[in-house]
Structure formats: structure tokens, C-alpha cells
Amino acid sequence: MPKTLVLYYSATDTTKNVAQVIANILNADIAEIHAKQPYTSADLDWHDPQSRTSIEQHQHNSRVEINDDLPDISNYDNVIIGHPIWWGIPPRLITTVIDKLDLNGKNLASFATSGGSGYERSQSNIERTLRENNYNATINQGAVLNSRRQIETWVKTLNFR
Ligand SMILES: Cc1cc2nc3c(=O)[nH]c(=O)nc-3n(C[C@H](O)[C@H](O)[C@H](O)COP(=O)(O)O)c2cc1C
């Protein structure tokens, strides 16, 4: 039986809820990504140009440290990464996650929740990180998933075994 892992980061639980629905539909395991320094509500204030997220997201190559608790993915065929959209793209800690996981040979897909932004820039951001790591991975088209219907439609497009 092919195995799927849903790995997500969520600051305010919106992405977490979607990740749980996807894991249920696919009978997948689920794991959460934790920032080494958790984000406070002041950190998440996008109206403040000096907030932590404003600074991190506007720095092109910034990396954000994560806790050393990523699951061992060696036994999974398929990996789905979920994240909110911050300033049009994934939180910088998603880049750290992709750097740290060995994604060679995996079927990879990613999704987001957002306040309205689409997935194009997030897809490009993730594909660039995959290229920078020289991973031999298959990448599916990601999507913003804000409703049950969108989730079910997207899951059907995945090339998962
Ligand atoms: C710092 C920050 C920046 C955000 N930037 C965007 C954005 O560029 N476009 C958008 O549609 N939503 C944006 N949002 C809204 C989030 O993407 C949305 O609320 C998401 O569902 C939050 O997911 P979470 O609860 O899993 O953290 C932003 C939220 C935060 C905190």
C-alpha cells in the first residue's frame, strides 16, 4: 500500500483544519511543522512593516529555523505540504522544511489557505526550492483550498499511487 504524509504549518489553525480533511480523505498520516521561535500575534501583523513576518517574507533568501521534530519520511511515497500564504508566498520556514527533507523519489504536492491570494507564486517558490536542492521529485500542481468542495476536487487531481 502506498503511504501518504500530510505535513503542515499553521499559525492560526485554518491550514491545520484543511490538512486534517485531506488526511482523512486519503487515509494519510499527518504531522505538524513547528517554528523554533513560535509566531506571536505581533509577529503576524501584516499591517506593521517591521513585524517579524513582514521582514522575513520580504527578504528574498531568508530561512526560518524549525524544531528538530520533522517526521522520518523514508517510508512515504507521497508527501503533501500545507501552509498559509503570507505576502503572496509560503512562510519562509517551508523553504527550511524542503531543504531538510530528502524528497528524492517522492510524489510531492502542496496546498495553502489564504485570504484570497491564488497559488501561482507559492507553486513557483516551492518549485525553485526543489530545483535548488536538486531533488528528483515529482511535483503536482498545488492549490488554495478554502472549502470542502475545493479540497475534494484537488485531491482527485493528484497523481498519487
Ligand atoms: C503575515 C500574514 C500575511 C498574509 N498575507 C496574505 C496574502 O498575501 N494573501 C492572502 O490571501 N492572505 C494572506 N494572509 C492571510 C492568510 O493566508 C490566511 O488567513 C490563512 O488561512 C492563515 O492560515 P493559518 O490559520 O493556517 O495560519 C496573511 C496572513 C498573515 C498572518
Coordinates of all heavy atoms in Angstrom, one line a residue, residues 40-109:
T40 N 4.2 35.0 17.4 CA 3.2 35.7 18.3 C 2.2 36.5 17.4 O 2.4 36.6 16.2 CB 3.9 36.7 19.2 OG1 4.4 37.8 18.3 CG2 5.0 36.1 20.0
S41 N 1.1 37.0 18.0 CA 0.2 37.8 17.1 C 0.9 39.0 16.6 O 0.6 39.5 15.5 CB -1.1 38.1 17.8 OG -0.9 38.5 19.1
A42 N 1.8 39.6 17.4 CA 2.5 40.8 16.9 C 3.4 40.4 15.7 O 3.5 41.2 14.7 CB 3.4 41.4 18.0
D43 N 4.0 39.2 15.8 CA 4.8 38.7 14.6 C 4.0 38.6 13.4 O 4.5 38.7 12.2 CB 5.4 37.3 14.9 CG 6.4 37.3 16.0 OD1 7.0 38.4 16.3 OD2 6.7 36.2 16.6
L44 N 2.7 38.3 13.5 CA 1.8 38.0 12.4 C 1.1 39.3 11.8 O 0.3 39.2 10.9 CB 0.7 37.0 12.8 CG 1.2 35.6 13.2 CD1 0.1 34.8 13.8 CD2 1.9 34.9 12.0
D45 N 1.5 40.4 12.4 CA 0.8 41.7 12.0 C 1.3 42.2 10.6 O 2.3 42.8 10.6 CB 1.0 42.7 13.1 CG 0.2 44.0 12.8 OD1 -0.5 44.1 11.7 OD2 0.3 44.9 13.6
W46 N 0.5 42.0 9.6 CA 0.9 42.4 8.2 C 0.7 43.9 8.0 O 1.2 44.4 7.0 CB 0.3 41.5 7.1 CG -1.2 41.7 7.0 CD1 -1.8 42.7 6.3 CD2 -2.2 40.9 7.6 NE1 -3.2 42.5 6.4 CE2 -3.5 41.4 7.2 CE3 -2.2 39.7 8.4 CZ2 -4.7 40.8 7.5 CZ3 -3.4 39.2 8.8 CH2 -4.6 39.7 8.3
H47 N 0.1 44.5 8.9 CA 0.0 46.0 8.8 C 1.2 46.7 9.3 O 1.4 47.9 8.9 CB -1.2 46.5 9.6 CG -2.5 46.0 9.2 ND1 -3.1 46.3 8.0 CD2 -3.4 45.1 9.8 CE1 -4.2 45.6 7.8 NE2 -4.4 44.9 8.9
D48 N 2.0 46.0 10.0 CA 3.3 46.6 10.6 C 4.5 46.1 9.7 O 4.8 45.0 9.7 CB 3.5 46.0 12.0 CG 4.8 46.5 12.6 OD1 5.5 47.3 11.9 OD2 5.1 46.1 13.7
P49 N 5.1 47.1 9.0 CA 6.2 46.7 8.1 C 7.4 46.2 8.8 O 8.3 45.6 8.2 CB 6.5 48.0 7.3 CG 5.8 49.1 8.1 CD 4.7 48.5 8.9
Q50 N 7.4 46.5 10.2 CA 8.6 46.0 11.0 C 8.2 44.7 11.7 O 9.1 44.2 12.5 CB 9.0 47.0 12.0 CG 9.5 48.3 11.4 CD 10.6 48.0 10.4 OE1 11.5 47.2 10.6 NE2 10.6 48.7 9.2
S51 N 7.1 44.1 11.5 CA 6.8 42.8 12.2 C 7.7 41.7 11.6 O 8.2 41.8 10.5 CB 5.3 42.4 12.0 OG 5.0 42.0 10.7
R52 N 7.8 40.7 12.4 CA 8.7 39.6 12.1 C 8.3 39.0 10.7 O 9.2 38.8 9.8 CB 8.6 38.5 13.1 CG 9.4 37.3 12.8 CD 9.3 36.2 13.9 NE 9.8 35.0 13.5 CZ 9.6 33.8 14.2 NH1 8.8 33.8 15.2 NH2 10.1 32.7 13.7
T53 N 7.0 38.8 10.5 CA 6.6 38.2 9.2 C 6.9 39.1 8.0 O 7.3 38.7 6.9 CB 5.2 37.7 9.2 OG1 4.4 38.7 9.7 CG2 5.0 36.4 9.9
S54 N 6.6 40.4 8.2 CA 6.8 41.4 7.2 C 8.3 41.4 6.7 O 8.7 41.4 5.6 CB 6.5 42.8 7.6 OG 5.1 42.9 7.9
I55 N 9.2 41.3 7.7 CA 10.6 41.4 7.4 C 11.1 40.0 6.8 O 11.7 40.1 5.7 CB 11.4 41.6 8.7 CG1 11.2 43.1 9.2 CG2 12.9 41.4 8.5 CD1 11.7 43.4 10.6
E56 N 10.7 38.9 7.4 CA 11.1 37.6 6.8 C 10.6 37.4 5.4 O 11.3 37.0 4.5 CB 10.5 36.5 7.7 CG 11.2 36.3 9.0 CD 10.5 35.3 9.9 OE1 9.4 34.7 9.5 OE2 11.0 35.0 11.0
Q57 N 9.3 37.8 5.2 CA 8.7 37.5 3.9 C 9.3 38.4 2.8 O 9.3 38.0 1.6 CB 7.2 37.6 3.9 CG 6.5 36.6 4.8 CD 6.8 35.1 4.4 OE1 7.6 34.5 5.0 NE2 6.1 34.6 3.4
H58 N 9.8 39.5 3.2 CA 10.3 40.4 2.1 C 11.8 40.2 1.9 O 12.4 40.8 1.0 CB 10.0 41.9 2.5 CG 8.6 42.2 2.3 ND1 7.7 42.3 3.3 CD2 7.8 42.4 1.2 CE1 6.4 42.5 2.8 NE2 6.5 42.6 1.5
Q59 N 12.4 39.4 2.7 CA 13.8 39.0 2.5 C 13.9 37.8 1.6 O 13.5 36.7 1.9 CB 14.5 38.7 3.8 CG 15.3 39.9 4.3 CD 15.8 39.6 5.7 OE1 15.7 38.5 6.2 NE2 16.3 40.6 6.4
H60 N 14.5 38.0 0.4 CA 14.4 37.0 -0.7 C 14.9 35.6 -0.2 O 14.2 34.6 -0.5 CB 15.2 37.5 -1.9 CG 15.2 36.6 -3.0 ND1 14.0 36.2 -3.6 CD2 16.2 35.9 -3.7 CE1 14.2 35.4 -4.6 NE2 15.5 35.1 -4.7
N61 N 16.0 35.5 0.4 CA 16.5 34.2 0.7 C 16.5 33.9 2.2 O 17.3 33.1 2.6 CB 18.0 34.1 0.2 CG 18.0 33.6 -1.3 OD1 17.1 32.8 -1.7 ND2 18.9 34.2 -2.1
S62 N 15.6 34.5 2.9 CA 15.6 34.2 4.3 C 15.2 32.8 4.6 O 14.3 32.2 3.9 CB 14.8 35.3 5.1 OG 13.4 35.2 4.8
R63 N 15.7 32.3 5.7 CA 15.4 31.0 6.2 C 14.9 31.1 7.6 O 15.5 31.9 8.3 CB 16.6 30.0 6.2 CG 17.1 29.7 4.8 CD 16.2 28.7 4.1 NE 16.8 28.1 2.9 CZ 16.8 28.6 1.7 NH1 16.4 29.8 1.5 NH2 17.4 27.9 0.7
V64 N 13.9 30.3 8.0 CA 13.4 30.4 9.4 C 13.6 29.0 10.0 O 13.3 28.0 9.4 CB 11.9 30.8 9.4 CG1 11.3 30.6 10.8 CG2 11.8 32.3 8.9
E65 N 14.2 29.0 11.2 CA 14.5 27.7 11.9 C 13.2 27.0 12.3 O 12.3 27.7 12.8 CB 15.4 28.0 13.0 CG 16.9 28.2 12.6 CD 17.8 28.1 13.8 OE1 18.0 27.0 14.3 OE2 18.3 29.2 14.2
I66 N 13.3 25.7 12.2 CA 12.2 24.9 12.7 C 12.7 24.0 13.8 O 13.9 23.7 13.9 CB 11.5 24.1 11.6 CG1 12.6 23.2 10.9 CG2 10.8 25.0 10.6 CD1 12.0 22.2 9.9
N67 N 11.7 23.4 14.6 CA 12.1 22.4 15.6 C 12.6 21.2 14.9 O 12.2 20.9 13.8 CB 10.8 22.1 16.4 CG 10.6 23.0 17.6 OD1 11.4 23.9 17.8 ND2 9.5 22.9 18.3
D68 N 13.4 20.5 15.7 CA 14.0 19.3 15.1 C 13.1 18.1 15.3 O 13.5 17.0 15.8 CB 15.3 19.0 15.9 CG 16.3 18.2 15.1 OD1 16.1 18.1 13.9 OD2 17.3 17.7 15.7
D69 N 11.8 18.3 14.8 CA 10.8 17.2 15.0 C 10.1 16.8 13.7 O 9.0 16.3 13.8 CB 9.8 17.6 16.1 CG 9.0 18.8 15.8 OD1 9.3 19.4 14.7 OD2 8.1 19.2 16.6
L70 N 10.8 17.0 12.6 CA 10.2 16.6 11.3 C 10.1 15.1 11.3 O 11.1 14.4 11.8 CB 11.1 17.0 10.2 CG 11.0 18.5 9.7 CD1 11.9 18.7 8.5 CD2 9.5 18.8 9.4
P71 N 9.1 14.5 10.8 CA 9.0 13.0 10.8 C 10.0 12.4 9.8 O 10.4 13.1 8.9 CB 7.5 12.8 10.3 CG 7.1 14.0 9.7 CD 7.9 15.1 10.3
D72 N 10.3 11.2 10.0 CA 11.1 10.4 9.1 C 10.2 10.1 7.9 O 9.2 9.4 8.0 CB 11.6 9.1 9.7 CG 12.3 8.2 8.8 OD1 12.6 8.6 7.6 OD2 12.7 7.1 9.2
I73 N 10.6 10.6 6.7 CA 9.7 10.4 5.5 C 10.1 9.3 4.6 O 9.5 9.1 3.6 CB 9.5 11.7 4.7 CG1 10.8 12.1 4.1 CG2 8.9 12.8 5.5 CD1 10.6 13.1 2.9
S74 N 11.1 8.5 5.1 CA 11.7 7.5 4.2 C 10.6 6.4 3.7 O 10.7 5.9 2.6 CB 12.9 6.8 4.8 OG 12.6 6.3 6.0
N75 N 9.6 6.2 4.6 CA 8.7 5.1 4.2 C 7.4 5.7 3.5 O 6.5 4.9 3.2 CB 8.2 4.4 5.4 CG 9.3 3.5 6.0 OD1 10.1 2.9 5.2 ND2 9.4 3.4 7.3
Y76 N 7.4 7.0 3.2 CA 6.3 7.5 2.4 C 6.6 7.6 0.9 O 7.7 8.0 0.5 CB 5.9 8.9 3.0 CG 5.4 8.8 4.4 CD1 6.2 9.1 5.5 CD2 4.1 8.5 4.6 CE1 5.7 9.0 6.8 CE2 3.5 8.4 5.9 CZ 4.4 8.6 7.0 OH 3.9 8.5 8.3
D77 N 5.5 7.3 0.1 CA 5.6 7.5 -1.3 C 5.2 9.0 -1.7 O 5.8 9.5 -2.6 CB 4.7 6.6 -2.0 CG 4.9 5.1 -1.5 OD1 5.8 4.5 -2.0 OD2 4.1 4.7 -0.7
N78 N 4.2 9.5 -1.0 CA 3.6 10.8 -1.3 C 3.7 11.7 -0.1 O 3.4 11.3 1.0 CB 2.1 10.6 -1.6 CG 1.9 9.4 -2.6 OD1 2.6 9.4 -3.6 ND2 1.0 8.6 -2.3
V79 N 4.1 13.0 -0.4 CA 4.2 13.9 0.7 C 3.4 15.2 0.2 O 3.6 15.7 -0.9 CB 5.7 14.3 1.0 CG1 5.7 15.4 2.0 CG2 6.5 13.1 1.4
I80 N 2.5 15.6 1.1 CA 1.7 16.8 0.9 C 2.1 17.9 1.9 O 2.1 17.6 3.1 CB 0.2 16.6 1.0 CG1 -0.2 15.5 0.0 CG2 -0.6 17.9 0.8 CD1 -1.7 15.1 0.0
I81 N 2.5 19.1 1.4 CA 2.9 20.1 2.4 C 1.8 21.2 2.3 O 1.5 21.7 1.3 CB 4.3 20.7 2.0 CG1 5.4 19.6 2.1 CG2 4.6 21.9 2.8 CD1 6.8 20.1 1.7
G82 N 1.3 21.6 3.5 CA 0.3 22.6 3.6 C 0.8 23.8 4.4 O 1.5 23.7 5.3
H83 N 0.3 25.0 3.9 CA 0.8 26.2 4.6 C -0.1 27.4 4.3 O -0.9 27.4 3.3 CB 2.2 26.6 4.0 CG 2.2 26.8 2.5 ND1 1.9 28.0 1.9 CD2 2.4 25.9 1.5 CE1 1.9 27.9 0.6 NE2 2.3 26.6 0.3
P84 N -0.1 28.4 5.2 CA -0.8 29.6 4.8 C -0.1 30.4 3.8 O 1.1 30.1 3.6 CB -0.9 30.4 6.2 CG 0.3 29.9 6.9 CD 0.6 28.5 6.5
I85 N -0.7 31.4 3.1 CA 0.0 32.3 2.3 C 0.3 33.6 3.0 O -0.6 34.2 3.6 CB -0.8 32.5 1.0 CG1 -0.8 31.3 0.1 CG2 -0.2 33.7 0.2 CD1 -1.5 31.4 -1.2
W86 N 1.6 33.9 3.1 CA 2.0 35.2 3.7 C 2.7 36.0 2.7 O 3.7 35.6 2.1 CB 3.0 34.9 4.9 CG 2.4 34.2 6.1 CD1 1.1 34.0 6.4 CD2 3.1 33.8 7.2 NE1 1.0 33.4 7.6 CE2 2.2 33.3 8.2 CE3 4.5 33.7 7.6 CZ2 2.6 32.7 9.4 CZ3 4.9 33.1 8.8 CH2 3.9 32.7 9.7
W87 N 2.1 37.2 2.5 CA 2.7 38.1 1.5 C 2.8 37.4 0.1 O 3.9 37.5 -0.6 CB 4.0 38.7 1.9 CG 3.8 39.6 3.1 CD1 4.1 39.4 4.4 CD2 3.4 41.0 3.0 NE1 3.8 40.5 5.1 CE2 3.4 41.5 4.3 CE3 3.0 41.8 1.9 CZ2 3.0 42.8 4.6 CZ3 2.7 43.2 2.2 CH2 2.6 43.6 3.5
G88 N 1.8 36.6 -0.3 CA 1.8 36.0 -1.6 C 2.5 34.7 -1.7 O 2.3 34.0 -2.7
I89 N 3.3 34.3 -0.7 CA 4.1 33.1 -0.8 C 4.1 32.3 0.5 O 3.5 32.8 1.5 CB 5.6 33.4 -1.2 CG1 6.1 34.4 -0.1 CG2 5.7 34.0 -2.6 CD1 7.6 34.7 -0.3
P90 N 4.6 31.1 0.5 CA 4.7 30.3 1.7 C 5.5 31.0 2.8 O 6.5 31.6 2.4 CB 5.3 28.9 1.3 CG 5.2 28.9 -0.2 CD 5.2 30.3 -0.7
P91 N 5.2 30.7 4.1 CA 6.1 31.2 5.1 C 7.5 30.7 4.8 O 7.7 29.5 4.3 CB 5.5 30.5 6.4 CG 4.1 30.3 6.1 CD 4.1 30.0 4.6
R92 N 8.5 31.4 5.2 CA 9.9 31.1 4.9 C 10.3 29.7 5.5 O 11.3 29.1 5.1 CB 10.9 32.2 5.3 CG 10.7 33.5 4.6 CD 11.0 33.4 3.1 NE 10.9 34.7 2.5 CZ 11.0 34.9 1.2 NH1 11.2 33.9 0.4 NH2 10.9 36.1 0.7
L93 N 9.6 29.3 6.6 CA 10.0 28.0 7.2 C 9.7 26.8 6.3 O 10.3 25.8 6.4 CB 9.4 27.8 8.6 CG 8.0 28.0 8.9 CD1 7.1 26.9 8.3 CD2 7.8 28.0 10.4
I94 N 8.8 27.0 5.3 CA 8.6 26.0 4.3 C 9.8 25.7 3.5 O 10.1 24.5 3.2 CB 7.3 26.3 3.4 CG1 6.1 26.4 4.3 CG2 7.1 25.3 2.3 CD1 5.6 25.2 5.0
T95 N 10.6 26.7 3.2 CA 11.8 26.5 2.5 C 12.8 25.7 3.3 O 13.4 24.7 2.8 CB 12.5 27.9 2.2 OG1 11.5 28.7 1.6 CG2 13.6 27.7 1.2
T96 N 12.8 26.0 4.6 CA 13.7 25.2 5.5 C 13.2 23.7 5.5 O 14.1 22.8 5.5 CB 13.6 25.8 7.0 OG1 13.7 27.2 6.9 CG2 14.6 25.1 7.9
V97 N 11.9 23.5 5.6 CA 11.4 22.1 5.6 C 11.9 21.4 4.3 O 12.3 20.2 4.4 CB 9.9 22.1 5.7 CG1 9.3 20.7 5.4 CG2 9.5 22.6 7.1
I98 N 11.7 22.0 3.2 CA 12.1 21.4 1.9 C 13.6 21.1 1.9 O 14.1 20.1 1.4 CB 11.6 22.2 0.7 CG1 10.1 22.2 0.7 CG2 12.2 21.7 -0.6 CD1 9.5 23.2 -0.3
D99 N 14.4 22.1 2.4 CA 15.8 21.8 2.5 C 16.2 20.6 3.3 O 17.1 19.9 3.0 CB 16.5 23.0 3.1 CG 16.6 24.3 2.2 OD1 16.4 24.1 1.0 OD2 16.9 25.3 2.7
K100 N 15.4 20.4 4.4 CA 15.8 19.4 5.4 C 15.3 18.0 5.0 O 15.8 17.0 5.4 CB 15.2 19.7 6.7 CG 16.0 20.9 7.4 CD 15.7 21.0 8.9 CE 16.7 22.0 9.4 NZ 16.9 22.0 10.8
L101 N 14.1 17.9 4.3 CA 13.6 16.6 3.9 C 14.3 16.0 2.8 O 14.7 16.8 1.9 CB 12.1 16.7 3.6 CG 11.1 17.1 4.6 CD1 9.7 17.3 4.0 CD2 11.0 16.1 5.7
D102 N 14.5 14.7 2.7 CA 15.1 14.1 1.5 C 13.9 13.7 0.6 O 13.2 12.7 0.8 CB 15.9 12.9 1.8 CG 16.4 12.2 0.5 OD1 16.1 12.8 -0.6 OD2 17.1 11.2 0.7
L103 N 13.6 14.6 -0.4 CA 12.4 14.4 -1.2 C 12.7 13.6 -2.5 O 11.8 13.5 -3.4 CB 11.8 15.8 -1.6 CG 11.2 16.5 -0.4 CD1 10.8 17.9 -0.7 CD2 9.9 15.7 0.1
N104 N 13.9 13.1 -2.6 CA 14.2 12.3 -3.8 C 13.2 11.1 -4.0 O 13.0 10.4 -3.0 CB 15.6 11.8 -3.8 CG 16.6 12.9 -4.1 OD1 16.5 13.5 -5.2 ND2 17.5 13.2 -3.2
G105 N 12.7 11.0 -5.1 CA 11.8 9.8 -5.4 C 10.4 10.0 -4.9 O 9.6 9.1 -5.0
K106 N 10.1 11.1 -4.3 CA 8.7 11.3 -3.7 C 7.8 11.9 -4.7 O 8.2 12.7 -5.6 CB 8.8 12.2 -2.5 CG 9.7 11.8 -1.4 CD 9.4 10.5 -0.8 CE 10.3 10.1 0.3 NZ 10.2 8.7 0.8
N107 N 6.5 11.6 -4.6 CA 5.5 12.4 -5.2 C 5.1 13.5 -4.3 O 4.7 13.3 -3.1 CB 4.2 11.5 -5.4 CG 4.2 10.9 -6.7 OD1 4.6 11.5 -7.7 ND2 3.7 9.7 -6.7
L108 N 5.3 14.8 -4.7 CA 5.1 15.9 -3.8 C 3.9 16.7 -4.3 O 3.7 16.9 -5.5 CB 6.3 16.7 -3.8 CG 6.3 17.9 -2.8 CD1 6.4 17.4 -1.4 CD2 7.5 18.8 -3.1
A109 N 3.1 17.2 -3.3 CA 2.1 18.2 -3.6 C 2.0 19.2 -2.5 O 2.4 18.9 -1.4 CB 0.7 17.5 -3.8

